[in-house]
Amino acid sequence: LVHAAGLCDASDLTLAHPSIRDGHGTISVTADIRNDRAGLSARGAISIRSGGYRAMRLHDLTGRFEVKDDVLLLRAVSGGIARGGFDLDADIQLREANPAPNRVRVATRGVPVVEAGRLLDLPLLILENPADASVSVTWHHGDEDLKVDGSARLHGEASSQARPGDRTPLDGTVDFTYRGTGDVLVRAANLVSAHSSLRAADNGDGSFRVGLTTRRIAEPMRLIANFSGPVLDILAKKPDLFSLAGTFGFDGDARIRSESDVALRGVVAVRDGRWRNLSIARATARADFQPPFLRLRELQAQSGARSLAGEIDLELAGSEHIAGVAFRGNARGIPLASLEDFGLDPAGAEGTAGG
């Protein structure tokens, strides 16, 4: 039996498993090490005053460890992340031949959502809202087979004036699965604010059903932008989309395969909508949104004596004008040249004005 104490760098954890190579900070270790007929074993305590993993920072970590049967066991580990705290247990396989996966179980209290983005290398995830979460992480080799299953209680907060997209007023619960390949599945969600209601449920095929009603379209838009680079790009180029007024609804399916591959398909409805010089008393359509392309089918829109019926294909690119638009159907009292009023280039428009 050998009693040992000392310091090691967190990056040395790569010696335990090559997939956990991105740690930083100094680990204080005290250990009892034994090598007998049963093999090499060790147990002891660890602490980190200040450190982290990838871009996530942690502080005041303490816990126990044991090395047994070629597995590193971390138990009763706790510490702080930003203004919140966490508890952690882990089983790290020290031999590649071990059949069991690496497993980490984490419970957080008041940890900002952005810290998960820093940990998982998801730069679009910038929400500063605190969340209480219970998460299980498993993997064999690395990101290619990483799976994160979690349940989170998101605490809604008003956006800051300095960074209006860094917080959401939506408050509630989300059950989710994230894979290292980029897939995100929302197994269940119930998020509400004073202006919006968003619910989701697993379809069982990798997609999830979404029901949304909102009087402030910026709230769901900003939430989606935390998972979709193309949506974030559209909003950056057309910030006045946040000024869309009216009551909006969506009932359909969503699929997230990666930050660059997000799709929404379902029925959209608008009541008393206003944007730029466009106003719509009511409208419905079947929508297929694969950013930056938006396709509307079975469109029915009316505002006073003006009406629009048919199909529209839009390419939402460029800083001011929509890059492409094709309309097939009937327009009454709506001159196609007026499309320029709300950001479309009328030179690319096709369609029939009637009545």
Side-chain angles (χ1 to χ4, degrees), residues 237-241 243-245 274-279 319-322 339-344:
K237 292 176 178 177
K238 297 178 176 62
D240 68 341
L241 283 171
S243 66
L244 276 165
R274 297 182 306 281
W275 183 51
R276 295 182 179 176
N277 295 320
L278 174 69
S279 63
S319 59
E320 174 60 23
H321 286 91
I322 290 174
L339 294 174
E340 190 172 19
D341 291 342
F342 53 99
L344 300 177

Side-chain angles (χ1 to χ4, degrees), residues 24 50-59 80-82 115 118:
H24 49 88
S50 178
Y53 194 83
R54 292 178 175 167
M56 183 200 72
R57 302 288 302 180
L58 58 83
H59 57 86
I81 300 175
E115 298 297 340
R118 292 167 178 161

